[in-house]
Amino acid sequence: MTLYDLARGLHILAVIAWMAGLLFLPRLYAYDAEQGDKTEPLKSEMRALLRTWQRRLLKIILNPAMGVSWALGLWLLWIRSGDGADWSFVPRPWMVAKLAGAIALSGWHGYLSAEYRRIQAGTSARTGRFWRMTNEIPFLIAIVMVLSVTLEWGA
């Protein structure tokens, strides 16, 4: 086992946790948005429960997993570069796609975090349909990222 293998394995685990949260949080938002048609007290009780789950998912899983994913990803770049000696692989198409995907996932994460604040403030205008339609965005990005790294196309 090499240090690179260890970093790669830990990175994959962190990304799995991050992806799980990115895929589940929009579902919670969809359920929350759909509570508007319910009657009281069910509506308030369900919203309180859903918002507790949303907060916990963001604070306990999503935010730490994103931080660890980025930290380990940067460490992998450093190790692969030969401790900073050769960065020639970074501009290759597969690595550009991987890095662009990481930035896109981070942007989506930021959007979900901002939406959480809007939901808490009662100013969210998004519908359950919107959240269901956008729910798979992280997975589509992940497909490109994983295939880029495993196939190293355009190397």
Side-chain angles (χ1 to χ4, degrees):
M1 177 178 71
T2 66
L3 190 59
Y4 185 81
D5 291 333
L6 175 63
R8 186 174 48 180
L10 293 173
H11 178 67
I12 290 168
L13 292 171
V15 170
I16 288 170
W18 189 22
M19 287 298 300
L22 289 174
L23 293 169
F24 188 52
L25 190 57
R27 282 290 166 178
L28 293 177
Y29 289 170
Y31 301 149
D32 192 305
E34 292 165 353
Q35 294 308 305
D37 298 340
K38 305 288 191 275
T39 59
E40 293 294 350
L42 180 61
K43 176 173 138 177
S44 296
E45 290 172 5
M46 279 303 296
R47 277 205 165 137
L49 183 60
L50 288 165
R51 290 175 187 185
T52 297
W53 292 346
Q54 292 164 15
R55 180 181 46 79
R56 288 180 179 168
L57 184 57
L58 268 167
K59 304 296 181 195
I60 298 171
I61 297 173
L62 266 168
N63 292 341
M66 181 182 78
V68 172
S69 294
W70 269 100
L72 290 168
L74 293 172
W75 188 32
L76 283 166
L77 284 172
W78 179 256
I79 294 168
R80 181 156 180 156
S81 75
D83 295 336
D86 179 15
W87 295 94
S88 62
F89 66 95
V90 174
R92 293 184 181 154
W94 67 271
M95 182 53 77
V96 171
K98 162 69 178 194
L99 294 173
I103 291 167
L105 286 179
S106 297
W108 183 246
H109 181 127
Y111 179 79
L112 293 177
S113 295
E115 187 63 22
Y116 170 75
R117 291 187 293 278
R118 286 188 287 273
I119 288 170
Q120 294 291 66
T123 60
S124 175
R126 300 295 181 196
T127 64
R129 178 173 154 74
F130 170 83
W131 291 116
R132 281 185 173 74
M133 288 176 58
T134 60
N135 190 55
E136 303 306 321
I137 288 172
F139 187 67
L140 296 173
I141 295 168
I143 290 169
V144 173
M145 293 171 69
V146 169
L147 292 177
S148 294
V149 172
T150 56
L151 299 175
E152 293 189 12
W153 50 273

